[in-house]
Amino acid sequence: MMQLADMICGNVGPFPYRSSSYITEFFSDIETDYTHDGTTRQRWVAETLEKILEEPHAGTGKVPPTFARVIQRLMDPTDATDEDDQRPAALAMLNASLAREGFEAYYAPDRQCYLRHVATNTITAPEHNPHRPFSATELERRQQLRTYLDGASEDDLIEDVLLPLFRQMGFHRVTATGHKDKALEYGKDVWMKFTLPTQHVLYFGLQAKKGKLDAAGVSRAGNANVAEIHNQALMMLGHEIFDPEIGKRVLVDHAFIVAGGEITKQARAWIGNALDASQRRSIIFMDRNDILDLYVVNNLPLPTAALSGWGVQVAWPDEPPF
């Protein structure tokens, strides 16, 4: 921690020197109330960082959000001196300090610095608000993922998008049941659990569909589509899953219904009306826009196929070029 404190103070390497008032300003910039008390700068900063690391966080592979803001502020590209805005020398020095704790800092396409847990590839970012305005770079990544989902299969949606997303959001034991034996799925493609700050555990099942979910009233095909989801939701809520970490069978507390396309209001209403009050409270809907927004704000790497342009529809000319 002393090494990181030296970087914040500007005692080493390509980091700007910070006097007492600028150290207070640094911690104010990351939305804390810590004020330097005039004691030795390095020791005071190290003790403050220790307090920050004791704050609540999501679990293994994550650090408190305040500490993530410390790293982001420390590596602000505008503070670069004698190097470009990717700050290679400063980044190398920071990573040498973080390596012994199993973390790595890196610059994302939005030019902000994030922390990644090397063993689990889990990213800690300061903000996960999917309703905030997106930058031009984030909008571009969102469009790339949208294009990928247009051509992705149901298995691609689950394996390449949903599993990394839910792991990043703090869910544990995220397990795909697979499609080799439909009889063993009991209405769910994925099961996972989430630990509350009180250390109580909630269990979730997830049923994913590639395209749009609709219930168009007179549309027999549309109702069949949403009726299938309804039956699978009932199966999810009614069948136990085995948690090997506790050696017991447990019931699913909530069921995610996830669509790679739109979930229409008619479909949501149809499922809601078909379930009783207790079951209705257990259903959580997530459609394409939710997936895109959450994926972008959690700063997850795009699937390899999305980066290569796979799934892009090619417009062929009406006339042959000869």
Side-chain angles (χ1 to χ4, degrees):
M1 201 55 62
M2 284 296 186
Q3 289 179 322
L4 183 57
D6 272 331
M7 296 176 207
I8 293 174
C9 293
N11 296 338
V12 295
F15 294 93
Y17 179 85
R18 291 185 174 91
S19 62
S20 176
S21 60
Y22 283 103
I23 288 174
T24 297
E25 182 180 302
F26 178 95
F27 285 96
S28 175
D29 288 343
I30 61 169
E31 303 172 20
T32 70
D33 296 324
Y34 294 111
T35 302
H36 184 229
D37 58 8
T39 58
T40 305
R41 293 177 306 123
Q42 181 204 40
R43 185 172 299 278
W44 182 89
V45 171
E47 291 173 352
T48 301
L49 293 176
E50 293 287 354
K51 293 176 185 176
I52 289 173
L53 285 171
E54 291 173 358
E55 293 178 4
H57 55 94
T60 304
K62 292 290 191 78
V63 297
T66 307
F67 189 78
R69 293 197 294 272
V70 167
I71 298 300
Q72 195 167 88
R73 178 63 188 88
L74 175 66
M75 299 302 295
D76 191 327
T78 61
D79 286 340
T81 55
D82 300 326
E83 54 182 347
D84 61 36
D85 59 6
Q86 290 294 305
R87 305 186 67 182
L91 191 62
M93 184 173 291
L94 174 61
N95 279 329
S97 175
L98 294 172
R100 60 177 59 92
E101 305 298 333
F103 287 90
E104 176 188 33
Y106 72 98
Y107 280 105
D110 62 1
R111 299 180 67 241
Q112 298 298 314
C113 190
Y114 296 93
L115 277 181
R116 174 170 46 220
H117 188 245
V118 177
T120 62
N121 202 34
T122 303
I123 299 164
T124 302
E127 183 181 19
H128 297 304
N129 178 12
H131 306 297
R132 63 173 171 78
F134 290 159
S135 67
T137 301
E138 288 174 327
L139 289 173
E140 182 181 354
R141 293 180 69 246
R142 192 179 190 277
Q143 182 57 45
Q144 284 179 292
L145 184 59
R146 178 189 292 275
T147 303
Y148 171 76
L149 291 179
D150 286 338
S153 67
E154 192 170 297
D155 285 340
D156 293 330
L157 171 65
I158 294 170
E159 297 288 342
D160 295 341
V161 178
L162 296 180
L163 296 188
L165 176 60
F166 280 95
R167 287 179 182 131
Q168 174 61 32
M169 291 192 297
F171 288 82
H172 306 291
R173 200 77 190 183
V174 184
T175 305
T177 58
H179 292 84
K180 292 182 180 179
D181 190 347
K182 290 286 185 181
L184 298 179
E185 286 188 23
Y186 297 117
K188 60 187 175 298
D189 292 320
V190 176
W191 79 268
M192 54 198 171
K193 60 185 185 178
F194 188 85
T195 304
L196 298 173
T198 60
Q199 299 307 301
H200 295 87
V201 175
L202 295 179
Y203 290 88
F204 295 80
L206 183 150
Q207 180 63 43
K209 290 299 177 186
K210 172 188 173 182
K212 178 179 180 180
L213 289 183
D214 194 9
V218 298
S219 169
R220 186 174 300 174
N223 283 336
N225 184 8
V226 77
E228 178 188 358
I229 290 292
H230 167 248
N231 290 333
Q232 290 170 338
L234 290 177
M235 291 174 67
M236 262 194 285
L237 296 172
H239 285 83
E240 295 178 330
I241 54 175
F242 179 73
D243 184 352
E245 293 183 350
I246 61 173
K248 294 181 181 178
R249 301 189 70 83
V250 295
L251 284 171
V252 169
D253 296 292
H254 295 282
F256 276 102
I257 295 178
V258 182
E262 178 190 5
I263 303 177
T264 65
K265 292 181 179 179
Q266 293 92 336
R268 294 171 192 254
W270 195 98
I271 294 175
N273 291 333
L275 298 170
D276 63 36
S278 61
Q279 293 169 333
R280 194 178 305 131
R281 288 194 295 268
S282 299
I283 298 296
I284 304 171
F285 293 102
M286 180 182 292
D287 64 9
R288 173 176 290 201
N289 284 331
D290 298 320
I291 295 170
L292 295 175
D293 291 345
L294 288 168
Y295 210 90
V296 169
V297 299
N298 280 278
N299 201 39
L300 283 163
L302 290 172
T304 303
L307 294 172
S308 64
W310 176 86
V312 177
Q313 301 296 318
V314 178
W316 295 99
D318 294 333
E319 298 295 332
F322 50 82

